[in-house]
Amino acid sequence: NNNMDIRLYTLTGEWENREAGQGQHTTGASLDAPVASRLETLAGKVVKYLCTGIGSDAFDSAYGSRAIPSRTVSKSGMALYRSLLVDDIRRCADYLRSNEESLPTGVERLEQVRLLDLKYAPGGDSTRVDIYLDIMSDQGRHALVVFSGGGGV
């Protein structure tokens, strides 16, 4: 099964249990908004980078992910998968920041992309890996991107 579900959430800043650092409420990104926010655009660029297989871009062979596209993961391979994913995220953030250098002053830019969680076989489905990323802008706004899928994740 190579189906992947990707969802974008906006963090609300409201917490269920802030002291424990858990339970921040999210809201789904609006699909009927006429124009994407800058944060949604940044999140889309992160998703595009990570869903592109490294070496498949004709103009930049270093563009893309080694971890996400077309990779099956076993429980015993999760440490290597996490390592590849962390490297992909670092390269993605570096790539996006280098492409933002020409943006006018005041335009919201990428601050960081962070791996929040990586879950193998959630719900007992051994063909599935869920990836949770926090995308933060230089204005302190956050978006949560969730990759959920099987086989190709």
Side-chain angles (χ1 to χ4, degrees), residues 10-143:
T10 302
L11 302 177
T12 65
E14 298 173 14
W15 290 78
E16 191 71 33
N17 185 353
R18 187 178 191 101
E19 291 76 33
Q22 60 185 327
Q24 184 167 180
H25 297 278
T26 61
T27 182
S30 173
L31 298 178
D32 58 358
V35 178
S37 73
R38 178 68 184 148
L39 184 61
E40 290 167 343
T41 300
L42 288 170
K45 289 179 178 185
V46 169
V47 168
K48 181 178 184 276
Y49 186 98
L50 294 176
C51 287
T52 301
I54 194 165
S56 64
D57 186 294
F59 300 102
D60 185 352
S61 62
Y63 180 92
S65 171
R66 293 182 296 160
I68 293 179
S70 303
R71 180 177 293 276
T72 55
V73 180
S74 65
K75 188 170 187 170
S76 63
M78 283 299 287
L80 174 60
Y81 187 75
R82 177 181 292 274
S83 174
L84 289 173
L85 186 57
V86 167
D87 183 60
D88 287 344
I89 291 167
R90 180 195 53 77
R91 288 183 310 98
C92 173
D94 290 347
Y95 176 85
L96 293 177
R97 279 191 213 101
S98 71
N99 284 308
E100 291 178 333
E101 291 173 357
S102 63
L103 291 175
T105 304
V107 172
E108 191 170 23
R109 300 166 191 266
L110 180 70
E111 180 70 26
Q112 72 175 358
V113 180
R114 193 167 52 105
L115 178 63
L116 292 177
D117 202 359
L118 181 62
K119 295 182 179 177
Y120 176 77
D125 182 354
S126 65
T127 67
R128 185 170 148 194
V129 174
D130 289 355
I131 302 164
Y132 298 82
L133 300 178
D134 174 35
I135 299 168
M136 187 174 96
S137 78
D138 63 350
Q139 296 178 8
R141 296 189 325 129
H142 293 263

